[in-house]
Amino acid sequence: MKRGLKTFLIAGVFSMMTASIFAEAPAFDLKKGTVKLNSGHEMPILGIGTFQLSNSQAENSVYWALKAGMRLIDTARIYGNEEGVGRGIRRAIKDGICKREEIFVTTKMWTSDFSNGDAAVDASLKRLGLDYIDLMILHHSQPRNDVDAYKAMERAVKAGKLRSIGLSNYYEPDDFDRLVKATSIKPALLQNETHPYHQSGKMKAHIAKYGTVMESWFPLGGRGYTQTLFNDPTISAIAKAHGKSSAQIIIRWHLQAGNIAIPGSSNEKHIIEDASVWDFSLTNDEMSRMASINKDRRNANY
């Protein structure tokens, strides 16, 4: 082998190894309120979650969120409200609030559907009444057949039915890697329970090498736990300093910490409040104080 060619090949291999070692999750654009996923698609970093909402509640909450300026919507097959989410989207489009291409819709494939993932994708599209879904994620780790389900989502990406794919509720690096090594498309996103008392540092650091971003479900701690976070002395003090609510401080912390946030609500006033976090920022000291209250404590067991 000629010296020049050998040097070129070695340099190329080193370059690829270096890129792999030092890869990191894409940075959030806090001015635009978006992040460019490893799939190449741009995703809003703040949106509405619809867990435990009925179809009628989901329709209204989605409509109010879009009216308030949010463009990210999160639902799931198991929530039983994809139809309502779709109605809320069409209602907002009809009223001229936004266009379909401005909205980023996420849904999740439930574990009982993993054995027939292709049909699950089509069923979600039909329930939502959409031509494509911006992001579909597997709802839980299920080693016996989640790889097959993920491959079904990969096929749906190639068919233009899905634009990005990802995972939810994978809490151990080895479990995440198990699936990644058996599939072709790197997860664009991992949606896990993440909030000030469970900041997901280990998994965020691990998935960064794949260019995968973290999204928080239960960003405010979850039903039954929100008041604990709202009354935390550190959060309350920062809220008072900014003239904001504790909820707004927590959401702003998520965005600056690199967590996509999807607070859920069926209350229009709360949705408007959750959307109003773009006119202030937390200082480095305040971000450090928020980091210091981490307890690595989850509030859910699923």
Side-chain angles (χ1 to χ4, degrees):
M1 181 182 293
K2 293 182 180 180
R3 180 177 180 182
L5 177 59
K6 183 177 181 180
T7 301
F8 173 79
L9 291 173
I10 292 173
V13 171
F14 179 76
S15 176
M16 289 188 288
M17 290 174 61
T18 302
S20 176
I21 293 170
F22 293 102
E24 56 184 26
F28 285 13
D29 186 331
L30 292 173
K31 290 184 178 180
K32 292 176 64 179
T34 62
V35 60
K36 190 170 185 179
L37 302 174
N38 63 15
S39 62
H41 294 284
E42 197 166 42
M43 180 178 184
I45 58 177
L46 175 61
I48 181 78
T50 61
F51 177 56
Q52 291 188 335
L53 299 187
S54 67
N55 270 301
S56 61
Q57 288 175 321
E59 177 183 347
N60 286 330
S61 289
V62 165
Y63 181 83
W64 292 330
L66 292 170
K67 187 177 180 181
M70 290 182 177
R71 292 295 180 264
L72 169 61
I73 301 163
D74 182 271
T75 183
R77 195 281 279 179
I78 198 64
Y79 297 172
N81 59 21
E82 287 175 313
E83 293 93 341
V85 167
R87 290 199 299 267
I89 291 170
R90 289 189 291 278
R91 183 172 144 202
I93 293 173
K94 182 180 179 181
D95 288 355
I97 291 171
C98 53
K99 299 176 181 178
R100 168 63 183 101
E101 58 267 27
E102 297 170 346
I103 307 169
F104 194 103
V105 181
T106 302
T107 193
K108 310 175 193 74
M109 187 187 300
W110 186 242
T111 52
S112 62
D113 298 326
F114 282 7
S115 60
N116 200 355
D118 298 283
V121 172
D122 290 340
S124 280
L125 280 166
K126 183 177 181 179
R127 285 189 292 266
L128 287 163
L130 299 176
D131 295 326
Y132 67 90
I133 294 168
D134 297 274
L135 172 69
M136 178 173 274
I137 54 186
L138 300 186
H139 211 142
H140 280 272
S141 169
Q142 185 165 267
R144 65 181 173 84
N145 61 355
D146 56 5
V147 168
D148 290 338
Y150 195 88
K151 288 181 177 179
M153 295 199 302
E154 290 181 324
R155 290 191 291 272
V157 170
K158 293 176 182 177
K161 298 176 181 180
L162 307 177
R163 294 196 167 176
S164 301
I165 56 179
L167 303 172
S168 181
N169 297 309
Y170 285 68
Y171 288 94
E172 296 298 328
D174 288 347
D175 195 31
F176 188 88
D177 289 349
R178 170 188 59 79
L179 186 139
V180 170
K181 291 174 182 177
T183 54
S184 300
I185 300 176
K186 299 295 183 291
L189 175 148
L190 173 63
Q191 188 184 115
N192 278 0
E193 179 183 345
T194 304
H195 46 73
Y197 283 1
H198 185 264
Q199 298 186 15
S200 297
K202 180 178 73 172
M203 284 306 293
K204 281 179 67 176
H206 182 75
I207 65 177
K209 67 181 180 181
Y210 299 110
T212 304
V213 298
M214 179 63 74
E215 181 175 36
S216 166
W217 60 261
F218 276 2
L220 302 179
R223 289 169 176 78
Y225 296 95
T226 53
Q227 292 305 314
T228 300
L229 281 178
F230 290 173
N231 293 321
D232 180 273
T234 296
I235 295 172
S236 297
I238 295 173
K240 184 177 181 180
H242 286 275
K244 298 291 182 178
S245 69
S246 289
Q248 289 171 316
I249 296 303
I250 296 169
I251 292 169
R252 184 69 197 191
W253 166 78
H254 275 292
L255 306 184
Q256 290 185 218
N259 307 322
I260 297 170
I262 44 170
S265 179
S266 59
N267 182 302
E268 185 177 11
K269 181 180 177 182
H270 291 166
I271 291 170
I272 293 170
E273 178 184 318
D274 291 347
S276 303
V277 295
W278 304 106
D279 60 345
F280 75 102
S281 60
L282 303 184
T283 65
N284 289 337
D285 176 67
E286 288 169 337
M287 289 297 291
S288 294
R289 288 160 61 193
M290 290 292 290
S292 72
I293 65 175
N294 181 39
K295 303 178 187 297
D296 282 328
R297 186 179 74 199
R298 292 189 59 202
N299 292 329
N301 58 5
Y302 47 81

